[in-house]
Amino acid sequence: MARRKKIYEGKAKTLFEGPEPGTIVQYFKDDATAFNAEKHDIIEGKGVLNNILSEYFMQGLGQIGVPTHFLKRLNMREQLVRSCEIIPLEIIVRNYAAGTVCKRLGLEEGTQMPRPIVEYCYKDDSLGDPLVSEEHIAAFGWASQQDMEDILSLALRVNDFMSGVFYAVGIRLVDFKIEIGRVYNGDFQRLVVADEISPDSCRLWDIETGRKLDKDVFRRDLGSLTDAYTEVARRLGVMPNNPPAAGKPTLVN
Ligand code: 5GP
């Protein structure tokens, strides 16, 4: 079989050239990193769970008319996505205070935000993804005014959808990060939700007990990350048939 061309290797995913022009294969690795990759571990089965969970959210968003880069899941670790130009911003939506906003504003963890708050960080690991304002984004040309309006609207629609889906299974969506890509069609561009949506990029707390079911389990050594992600997948009814296992991808029909 011909070897695929690797396009990019990130901390949690590797991207390969897809079978058709304009497509990319996104491979979910078991690597877990935190604090700008200062902390690193291999968590067996994480890639399988994130692949399936991201498929679930991207498909759900597609069904309510939110455009995403997702095309189809190929196997337990890979999905086919539309190639897009990633806007160099991390778009963060916060419903409750946690993480960096607590330090920045002196808020107690768990404080409910007066309304969902959208923040933008400049995607640059060497700088630690710093928080930026819309002024920076406009002045440095990372996104236009129209893009910013569309990004805000997409972020809030994703938040409404995901908050509802999680609430229905007893999980509070505290905050999350998404990335947005541009897809070109001739002279026209449209924005799509790209990258992944998984417990790696969200904060998820059990509504009853407050148990953390997201990457904070790894960041703060709170137990088994696989157990936490498995619990999320189980509640959403998307557990893979076979328990997650590391190793080579297997084809599903
Ligand atoms: P914080 O700013 O509190 O660190 O993160 C806010 C939310 O965005 C959290 O759900 C966190 O998991 C997510 N997030 C922030 N930066 C990154 C990142 O570089 N990668 C991933 N996967 N998620 C991020």
Side-chain angles (χ1 to χ4, degrees):
M1 205 161 80
R3 223 180 135 70
R4 290 179 306 185
K5 187 169 167 211
K6 191 193 281 188
I7 299 172
Y8 173 79
E9 178 148 11
K11 287 175 280 192
K13 293 186 295 299
T14 305
L15 305 182
F16 297 95
E17 235 172 39
E20 310 284 344
T23 64
I24 283 179
V25 174
Q26 203 167 241
Y27 177 94
F28 287 75
K29 305 195 291 185
D30 280 341
D31 298 64
T33 60
F35 314 118
N36 211 2
E38 273 172 37
K39 181 170 175 162
H40 175 252
D41 208 349
I42 302 289
I43 310 286
E44 205 172 299
K46 181 177 85 85
V48 170
L49 288 161
N50 280 353
N51 185 24
I52 283 168
L53 285 163
S54 198
E55 171 194 26
Y56 178 77
F57 291 117
M58 294 287 184
Q59 269 184 342
L61 287 169
Q63 280 160 9
I64 61 157
V66 174
T68 80
H69 73 160
F70 181 83
L71 294 170
K72 66 174 175 178
R73 184 162 64 84
L74 297 171
N75 55 51
M76 295 303 271
R77 282 183 184 273
E78 295 178 321
Q79 48 183 247
L80 189 68
V81 300
R82 205 179 293 282
S83 163
C84 56
E85 183 186 289
I86 296 286
I87 294 178
L89 296 173
E90 296 194 334
I91 294 112
I92 293 173
V93 183
R94 299 182 188 274
N95 299 307
Y96 294 83
T100 55
V101 78
C102 291
K103 288 193 202 127
R104 226 184 304 124
L105 302 181
L107 294 172
E108 193 182 330
E109 188 179 72
T111 309
Q112 187 167 13
M113 296 299 189
R115 58 185 168 86
I117 292 182
V118 183
E119 294 176 350
Y120 307 100
C121 293
Y122 179 54
K123 249 173 80 70
D124 186 326
D125 282 342
S126 67
L127 301 173
D129 301 334
L131 185 72
V132 290
S133 72
E134 291 194 45
E135 268 293 281
H136 295 109
I137 297 168
F140 292 109
W142 297 323
S144 68
Q145 189 55 44
Q146 181 62 55
D147 289 339
M148 291 312 290
E149 283 170 27
D150 294 346
I151 289 172
L152 180 63
S153 153
L154 281 172
L156 293 175
R157 288 172 75 194
V158 172
N159 186 45
D160 282 348
F161 171 75
M162 300 231 303
S163 294
V165 167
F166 280 122
Y167 186 75
V169 296
I171 294 173
R172 171 162 299 148
L173 177 62
V174 173
D175 59 26
F176 66 91
K177 181 266 303 185
I178 52 169
E179 296 186 18
I180 302 286
R182 301 178 206 278
V183 174
Y184 292 98
N185 190 352
D187 286 343
F188 295 96
Q189 69 145 39
R190 70 193 175 102
L191 299 184
V192 298
V193 178
D195 191 52
E196 72 177 277
I197 301 181
S198 73
D200 266 11
S201 49
C202 301
R203 281 199 177 89
L204 306 169
W205 297 350
D206 181 89
I207 290 176
E208 292 274 303
T209 64
R211 178 185 166 199
K212 292 181 178 22
L213 298 167
D214 56 66
K215 206 164 95 176
D216 274 352
V217 171
F218 170 73
R219 292 188 188 103
R220 293 159 68 165
D221 294 319
L222 299 176
S224 159
L225 194 70
T226 312
D227 284 358
Y229 287 20
T230 299
E231 177 64 15
V232 174
R234 192 192 62 72
R235 288 199 200 181
L236 293 171
V238 295
M239 263 306 282
N241 288 338
N242 301 312
K248 292 276 173 250
T250 39
L251 275 173
V252 287
N253 294 321

